[in-house]
Amino acid sequence: MAQIVYSSKINKIRSFALILVFAGILLMYVGILTKRIEWLMVTFFILGVLMVVLSCAVYLWIGTLSLKAVPIVCPNCEKPTKMLGRVDACMHCKEPLTLDKDLEGKAFDEKYNTRRYRKELKAKEKEEQHNKS
């Protein structure tokens, strides 16, 4: 049976931004290779620069988001890591983490971080309270 490996949300977003940087540089390199067709070269350069600028925006956004993340010590590898949302994974050992007592012992699922799941949970709680009355 294959073991599922989870990834930290912060690391996923940083990896996406890094891919944008390399893709932008690659597009600009392709622009250099097409210098005989001026409009194509300019198009590749503009797309490459836009991708690099977009990656800067993503890095800025994840940096500000990282400041809001909850710093914790992973119980598995005992290294400091940051958590975004109700469930996340350790940045170092990929251990599933949660600070929510209601989710302890449950199977790791990133749906626990969605607004839709929280709305459904609140609706169930209201229904249970209504049924008790």
Side-chain angles (χ1 to χ4, degrees):
M1 185 170 146
Q3 181 182 1
I4 299 173
V5 178
Y6 304 104
S7 179
S8 165
K9 283 186 264 321
I10 293 175
N11 284 348
K12 283 180 187 175
I13 298 170
R14 285 180 182 158
S15 297
F16 173 71
L18 186 63
I19 289 168
L20 280 176
V21 169
F22 285 120
I25 291 171
L26 183 67
L27 279 176
M28 289 187 279
Y29 185 73
V30 170
I32 290 173
L33 296 177
T34 62
K35 64 184 170 188
R36 292 187 188 263
I37 308 169
E38 194 170 307
W39 66 270
L40 191 58
M41 177 187 73
V42 170
T43 303
F44 280 125
F45 271 47
I46 290 172
L47 287 174
V49 168
L50 286 175
M51 289 182 84
V52 171
V53 168
L54 180 62
S55 75
C56 290
V58 171
Y59 273 122
L60 180 70
W61 173 66
I62 194 59
T64 58
L65 204 58
S66 180
L67 290 174
K68 296 177 187 176
V70 179
I72 62 169
V73 175
C74 176
N76 187 35
C77 65
E78 298 181 355
K79 293 181 181 177
T81 187
K82 292 184 177 185
M83 265 192 68
L84 285 176
R86 296 176 73 187
V87 294
D88 204 351
C90 175
M91 292 178 171
H92 308 286
C93 69
K94 314 293 189 231
E95 176 77 17
L97 302 170
T98 184
L99 293 176
D100 192 341
K101 298 290 182 192
D102 297 334
L103 297 176
E104 285 183 7
K106 288 187 177 182
F108 183 85
D109 195 343
E110 290 187 0
K111 76 175 183 182
Y112 298 140
N113 291 327
T114 62
R115 287 187 178 133
R116 184 179 194 180
Y117 177 79
R118 286 182 287 204
K119 281 183 182 179
E120 290 173 2
L121 194 61
K122 285 182 183 179
K124 285 181 185 177
E125 288 174 358
K126 283 183 181 180
E127 188 177 311
E128 287 175 5
Q129 287 179 354
H130 181 65
N131 290 338
K132 286 182 181 179
S133 312

